[in-house]
Amino acid sequence: MNLVILGMPGAGKGTQSAFISKFFDIPHISTGDMLRHAIQEKTKVGLEAESYINAGHFVPDDVILAIMAERLAEDDCKKGFLLDGFPRNLVQAEELDLMLKKHNLKIDHAINLSLEQSEVVKRLTSRRVCKKCASVYNVELLGSDICPKCGGEIIIRDDDKEEVIISRLKVYTEQTEPLVKYFSDKNILFEVDASVPIDDVWNEIKKMLEK
Ligand code: AP5
């Protein structure tokens, strides 16, 4: 099963991707995680991406398309995959279709997590992440600055500052939201209400994908 998960920044894509990837045993491919890892490792891609991410802008398409072409050619993608954060605009969506076509593949379903913008801002300003294993937490539920899973340091993502969140939401509306129509026109879009608790969102997604 080849999947895409869509939604505003902070809608819960990463959170739900962890469930989907585990349950259906497919790799969770997050361009955001790949870029943050590249920044931490100070690779060429990381050095190029850092200023864009910290300003809430998109990393240039050519950089993203190159890393995705490489990632999708890896062996673990043969059993299916879940794309989180890619495609992010129409150019990337069309290029993805071409990339997959070469291997006789296509996207089977796109899941769109819908949520009010005010709730998204609340979620992002209270999000904390582990610097070591990238686990995601809510500061109100965490109660410590040590990751319960790996003992790593808990930090605030650089792009979760309020002024950067505003820029990310603007870019989402202008560039990513049109993808909802793109996938809907292909009759492969699932709309999911992301305002309910995490487990309820997951149950809804599971129910739809199992059909
Ligand atoms: P990326 O990492 O993809 O960021 P994003 O799309 O902005 O999404 P987030 O990771 O912020 O949120 P999420 O939807 O995964 O929410 P989460 O599950 O963490 O990209 C970062 C940057 O990289 C981009 O801005 C761009 O610069 C660059 N980039 C990446 N891909 C690119 C591409 N293809 N092209 C160009 N540039 C690219 O949840 C958020 C919080 O809410 C957490 O605290 C969580 O615990 C909580 N939560 C989740 N679900 C619920 C729920 N149901 N109820 C209550 N709380 C919840």
Side-chain angles (χ1 to χ4, degrees), residues 50-68:
E50 189 166 19
S51 59
Y52 292 101
I53 294 185
N54 290 347
H57 299 145
F58 282 175
V59 174
D61 288 338
D62 57 338
V63 176
I64 298 291
L65 291 168
I67 61 173
M68 285 310 290

Side-chain angles (χ1 to χ4, degrees), residues 169-203:
L169 288 171
K170 186 168 177 284
V171 175
Y172 167 83
T173 307
E174 289 168 0
Q175 299 203 43
T176 310
E177 206 166 48
L179 294 183
V180 174
K181 181 173 180 326
Y182 182 84
F183 288 111
S184 170
D185 286 349
K186 289 177 182 279
N187 283 322
I188 55 169
L189 188 79
F190 282 155
E191 284 287 355
V192 177
D193 175 10
S195 68
V196 295
I198 291 173
D199 285 348
D200 295 348
V201 179
W202 163 230
N203 283 330

